[in-house]
């Protein structure tokens, strides 16, 4: 009789190793709470980092250069675009925003997940370039009245800028159905937990860990052989 086969153990760790990182895209109309949810996720989730966009928009008093955005002048932005250093870019509210290519490619190749706070124009560009790496979530406010009041409560922008953002919000919201998931940010904790659950489930999609297939197949083959020997 043949010896019992050495079991091929697939540990959770082994399965996670060599996984390709995923790109978690969060979009929302301004004031829906996307940045708040993003901050909570980045605090609590290991292996998740923020893609720091470059922008020509003026820095808000609460923002730190190199942490929230890299603030640069239009000339430097143009140079980066010409040198193909940008994975995607868009004009929003009269300013330019873009995702630098290098850090994203490096992160996903080495199995680190990366979070994007970008708009619909950027999301479409990522879909075109790397659809299977992207998991997109659209954050909705519970109502327009609540969205407005959150924008005013944040008190970071002048009234005319808020009015501009409301206009853009309508355009953004029309695209909600292009996203993989939709999360309503009524209760913050609940919305955050939902996005976290999406991230965790998406990490386990089998195609992100191509090495897991042969390991599982090995276990099945071993078991089959064991059963055959017993017959
Ligand atoms: N396409 C694209 N959009 C971006 C990028 N960075 C930020 N945005 C979007 O630009 C819009 C304005 O962002 P911001 O000025 O920070 O305002 P806030 O979202 O109201 O706090 C938001 O919809 C962001 O998601 C980027 O790198 N690419
Ligand atoms: N679920 C929520 N309930 C109440 N206020 C919220 C909620 N989520 C976010 N906020 C507040 O609403 C304002 C806008 O949120 P923010 O995350 O800056 O929005 P966005 O990034 O979508 O523009 C902030 O003052 C934030 O603290």
């Amino acid at each position: 009789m043949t010896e019992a086969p050495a079991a091929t153990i697939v540990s959770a760790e082994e399965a996670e190793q060599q996984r390709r990182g995923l790109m978690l895209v969060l979009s929302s109309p301004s004031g829906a709470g996307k940045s708040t949810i993003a901050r909570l996720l980045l605090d609590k989730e290991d292996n998740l980092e923020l893609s720091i966009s470059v922008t020509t928009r003026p820095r808000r008093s609460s923002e730190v250069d190199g942490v929230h955005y890299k603030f640069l002048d239009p000339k430097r932005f143009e140079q980066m675009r010409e040198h193909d250093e940008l994975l995607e870019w868009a004009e929003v509210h009269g300013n330019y925003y873009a995702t630098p290519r290098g850090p994203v490619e490096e992160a996903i190749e080495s199995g680190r997940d990366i979070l994007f706070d970008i708009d619909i124009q950027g999301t479409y560009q990522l879909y075109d370039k790397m659809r299977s790496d992207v998991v997109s979530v659209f954050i909705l406010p519970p109502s327009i009245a609540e969205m407005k009041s959150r924008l005013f409560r944040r008190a970071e922008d002048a009234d005319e800028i808020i009015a501009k953002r409301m206009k853009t919000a309508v355009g953004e919201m029309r695209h909600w159905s292009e996203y993989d998931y939709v999360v309503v940010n009524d209760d913050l904790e609940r919305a955050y937990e939902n996005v976290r659950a999406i991230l965790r489930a998406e990490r386990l999609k089998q195609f992100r860990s191509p090495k897991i297939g042969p390991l599982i197949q090995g276990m099945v083959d071993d078991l089959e052989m064991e059963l055959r020997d017993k017959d």
Side-chain angles (χ1 to χ4, degrees), residues 26-31 34-35 51-55 57-58 60 63 68-69 88-93 95-100 116-123 125 151 154 157 165 168 172:
L26 294 188
S27 297
S28 78
S30 210
K34 170 193 51 185
S35 313
S51 163
I52 300 170
S53 297
V54 293
T55 183
R57 154 165 93 57
R60 292 181 188 143
E63 290 173 329
H68 300 94
Y69 283 104
E88 60 76 32
W89 67 273
E91 189 182 344
V92 187
H93 312 130
N95 296 300
Y96 291 105
Y97 295 81
T99 302
F116 296 78
D117 172 343
I118 62 173
D119 77 337
I120 182 70
Q121 307 175 67
T123 307
Q125 293 171 59
L151 274 178
R154 187 168 71 187
D157 299 304
R165 281 165 195 273
T168 314
E172 286 271 304

Side-chain angles (χ1 to χ4, degrees), residues 7-20 204 208-216 219:
T8 317
I9 296 169
V10 181
S11 68
E13 206 183 357
E14 211 170 336
E16 280 265 325
Q17 275 165 9
Q18 319 200 349
R19 177 174 70 82
R20 198 171 155 78
L204 301 179
R208 295 195 207 286
S209 305
K211 297 239 159 119
I212 201 179
L215 292 175
I216 298 170
M219 286 172 80

Side-chain angles (χ1 to χ4, degrees), residues 41-85:
L41 277 173
L42 291 163
D43 273 357
K44 298 262 171 65
E45 276 294 330
D46 292 339
N47 204 42
L48 181 69
E49 60 194 68
L50 179 68
S51 163
I52 300 170
S53 297
V54 293
T55 183
T56 60
R57 154 165 93 57
R59 188 175 63 80
R60 292 181 188 143
S61 58
S62 61
E63 290 173 329
V64 178
D65 190 22
V67 175
H68 300 94
Y69 283 104
K70 287 193 190 90
F71 297 93
L72 37 83
D73 59 40
K75 199 168 150 220
R76 175 73 190 115
F77 187 93
E78 196 46 47
Q79 274 173 355
M80 289 184 82
R81 200 166 59 178
E82 274 170 11
H83 295 152
D84 200 26
E85 291 171 41

